[in-house]
Amino acid sequence: MSNTAESTAKRPLRVAIVGAGPAGVYAADILTKSNEVKDGDFEVSIDLFEAYPAPYGLIRYGVAPDHPRIKGIVNALHKVLDRGDIRFLGNVTYGRDLTLHDFRAFYDAVIFSTGAIKDADLDIPGIDLEGSFGAADFVSWYDGHPDVPREWPLDAKEIAVIGNGNVALDVARMLVKHADELLVTEIPDNVYQALKNSPVTDVHVFGRRGPAQVKFTPLELRELSHARDVDIVLYPEDFEFDEASDDAIRSNNQTKTMVNTMTNWLVEEHAESEQPSSRRLHLHFLHSPVEIYGSESADGGSGKVAGIKFERMQLDGTGNVKGTGEFIDYPVQAVYRAIGYHGSALDELEYDAKRGVIPNEGGRVLDANGNPVPGIYTTGWIKRGPVGLIGHTKGDALETIGFLLEDRLTLPPAQNPDPQAIIDLLEERGIEYTTWEGWNKLNAHEEALGASWSESAASDGVVRERIKVVPREDMIRISRA
């Protein structure tokens, strides 16, 4: 019998999961429900670590607050953590508060599910001008991330959003939507006030390929049409379809639905043009960004964003595009790039900088020589890159947990597997960790803020289920009270 088999025969297998977003919670849930655990082959004891004081990761800090499906996902994650068989430890940062050496000392296995929170780079001239932003930073701001500034410069009337995925549509929708419509969500007050004072009139969303190649989903597309006093503007010259586009429309119901929806909007917009709205959301296709240019500043510098140049593209028959040599300028005062997220390196682990992932095989983390590191695993976006929907991380977790179960008899055993030992270490280091009980306190507090607002004279009949607490220190204080 191996050392791990001998050491865990009389105790539960100790597993740490770093990252309490959907990927981490799914991994914990799948492990606790595995046949091996249910059949009594062994017991498992899981600690779920999170850098923020609150759980849910991407759901709390990376998805637009007006998504109708968010509540369902949060409820599902809540049920998993509320069972009591998975311990949540928040406000603990890997690489600062705890090292890999620490985790190895207290756990038989560690699963990293830290996600991807940075913007992918867009290497074009002018990308660093004032008024050029990464979508991830904007999302963090409007979602009340505790570690970003409370203010956001919303002074542009005309805005470009580069990208044709769900994040691009989220960003565009949040920019163009009237702030009062967002009061029914959990947006913080500073976000509401800033959006309410925005002078925006036009938001342009640009994609490199055609309408049949977009990466957003029908749900995202339909949500655009729900915004009050916002016209959706499309352009007939953008509706180009090659052989691959026609095949996609015939064979893929999702593609067919989206193309039909946009085509119908294209027809309808001319019929409604007699009553224009105060804001417009423009959808452009077959545009490849070339340069962001700025206005000249007083000192002769490039100053702030003043416009963006695109090359007009055409489909090449395969669904890909090639340049036409035709260039188009759009006057805008802000540019948001939403071309994807990128994972960050983690201390003491190998890192693939090009893909933004931890090198791995099916979730088994690899060392510099391409060999599996015993007892170290990964799942979610830091495992495979930021592609797919939130639900797709379940498949990632299932694969990773499968390998962990396969390896469980040969894992390097924890030196001190007592569940209290990690708590003692956190307290010894003065780390103000939060717990699931603490999250329930914070959750109740945010709901109480919403109820209080709803009862106020200013509510005008609007019911707010909750208002998100933003400052980290307040989240910690409320959670640890």
Side-chain angles (χ1 to χ4, degrees):
M1 185 178 287
S2 70
N3 289 339
T4 301
E6 290 176 358
S7 64
T8 60
K10 299 177 182 179
R11 67 166 174 84
L13 186 76
R14 291 283 285 146
V15 178
I17 300 177
V18 182
V25 177
Y26 291 150
D29 188 39
I30 289 169
L31 181 55
T32 58
K33 291 178 177 177
S34 64
N35 290 332
E36 291 86 345
V37 172
K38 289 194 297 183
D39 293 344
D41 292 353
F42 73 103
E43 293 182 64
V44 65
S45 170
I46 302 173
D47 286 343
L48 186 61
F49 291 86
E50 173 56 57
Y52 309 129
Y56 305 145
L58 175 70
I59 296 296
R60 185 170 169 92
Y61 294 122
V63 181
D66 59 345
H67 271 310
R69 67 172 181 268
I70 288 180
K71 191 171 181 180
I73 297 174
V74 167
N75 289 342
L77 299 180
H78 180 93
K79 287 178 181 178
V80 173
L81 295 180
D82 204 43
R83 294 195 311 247
D85 56 348
I86 300 164
R87 185 166 63 173
F88 172 76
L89 295 170
N91 200 42
V92 180
T93 300
Y94 172 76
R96 185 191 68 191
D97 300 326
L98 293 176
T99 66
L100 187 61
H101 176 77
D102 294 327
F103 279 107
R104 283 201 174 280
F106 297 103
Y107 299 92
D108 305 301
V110 186
I111 303 172
F112 288 92
S113 56
T114 51
I117 60 172
K118 292 185 177 180
D119 285 289
D121 292 333
L122 178 61
D123 187 17
I124 61 172
I127 196 66
D128 295 323
L129 282 171
E130 182 183 349
S132 173
F133 308 104
D137 293 334
F138 183 57
V139 171
S140 292
W141 173 76
Y142 68 58
D143 273 334
H145 193 295
D147 300 332
V148 302
R150 303 287 183 270
E151 296 76 34
W152 189 270
L154 289 169
D155 52 7
K157 289 187 175 181
E158 300 159 301
I159 300 171
V161 179
I162 303 172
N164 253 179
N166 284 342
V167 175
L169 291 197
D170 279 353
V171 167
R173 195 176 64 254
M174 290 295 292
L175 286 166
V176 79
K177 208 168 188 177
H178 290 278
D180 285 351
E181 286 195 79
L182 296 167
L183 281 173
V184 294
T185 75
E186 61 182 24
I187 65 165
D189 287 333
N190 66 298
V191 176
Y192 167 69
Q193 293 297 336
L195 291 172
K196 188 174 180 65
N197 294 324
S198 169
V200 66
T201 59
D202 293 83
V203 175
H204 299 261
V205 181
F206 296 94
R208 287 185 72 251
R209 297 198 290 170
Q213 287 80 39
V214 295
K215 296 297 184 182
F216 43 73
T217 61
L219 177 62
E220 288 280 350
L221 188 62
R222 285 195 297 270
E223 285 178 10
L224 294 183
S225 64
H226 297 160
R228 178 183 56 81
D229 190 35
V230 176
D231 285 338
I232 298 175
V233 183
L234 299 104
Y235 298 85
E237 62 270 25
D238 289 347
F239 281 74
E240 177 182 313
F241 303 96
D242 61 0
E243 185 177 342
S245 302
D246 292 336
D247 287 345
I249 293 168
R250 282 194 299 267
S251 62
N252 188 303
N253 285 333
Q254 179 167 300
T255 301
K256 180 179 180 180
T257 297
M258 290 191 292
V259 170
N260 285 344
T261 298
M262 290 186 286
T263 303
N264 288 337
W265 288 350
L266 185 63
V267 174
E268 292 168 1
E269 74 174 78
H270 298 289
E272 298 174 359
S273 60
E274 295 179 5
Q275 296 181 323
S277 299
S278 67
R279 292 179 175 179
R280 289 159 294 280
L281 178 59
H282 307 255
L283 297 180
H284 302 268
F285 304 102
L286 301 170
H287 282 66
S288 182
V290 174
E291 177 187 4
I292 301 170
Y293 53 89
S295 57
E296 188 172 317
S297 63
D299 60 4
S302 54
K304 298 180 64 175
V305 168
I308 183 168
K309 180 188 296 290
F310 290 89
E311 181 177 10
R312 182 79 186 171
M313 309 302 283
Q314 64 183 18
L315 293 163
D316 66 1
T318 69
N320 292 312
V321 292
K322 57 184 179 181
T324 65
E326 176 189 354
F327 295 91
I328 310 170
D329 285 359
Y330 292 87
V332 296
Q333 299 82 51
V335 175
Y336 291 76
R337 67 183 185 278
I339 59 171
Y341 286 104
H342 201 73
S344 303
L346 296 170
D347 286 357
E348 302 180 76
L349 298 177
E350 290 300 311
Y351 176 64
D352 182 340
K354 184 176 182 180
R355 296 180 57 221
V357 299
I358 300 172
N360 69 93
E361 286 184 355
R364 288 183 174 122
V365 171
L366 304 177
D367 63 18
N369 297 318
N371 300 315
V373 181
I376 307 297
Y377 302 86
T378 185
T379 191
W381 281 4
I382 197 63
K383 169 187 173 183
R384 62 179 169 89
V387 293
L389 302 176
I390 292 170
H392 293 163
T393 55
K394 286 184 179 179
D396 282 339
L398 191 62
E399 180 183 51
T400 296
I401 295 303
F403 282 121
L404 189 155
L405 291 170
E406 188 177 303
D407 300 340
R408 74 181 187 278
L409 299 180
T410 57
L411 296 172
Q415 300 161 25
N416 190 347
D418 182 354
Q420 182 59 35
I422 189 67
I423 301 298
D424 293 341
L425 180 65
L426 293 173
E427 292 181 347
E428 178 185 319
R429 293 180 177 175
I431 298 165
E432 294 183 299
Y433 65 90
T434 59
T435 63
W436 181 247
E437 292 75 21
W439 161 247
N440 283 328
K441 292 178 185 178
L442 179 59
N443 184 44
H445 179 83
E446 292 184 343
E447 290 177 344
L449 290 177
S452 177
W453 194 96
S454 301
E455 293 169 2
S456 69
S459 68
D460 196 26
V462 176
V463 175
R464 303 193 70 182
E465 289 191 12
R466 67 190 307 119
I467 298 176
K468 191 179 288 183
V469 173
V470 179
R472 181 182 284 263
E473 57 272 22
D474 289 349
M475 297 173 68
I476 296 169
R477 174 181 53 79
I478 294 163
S479 298
R480 291 173 59 89

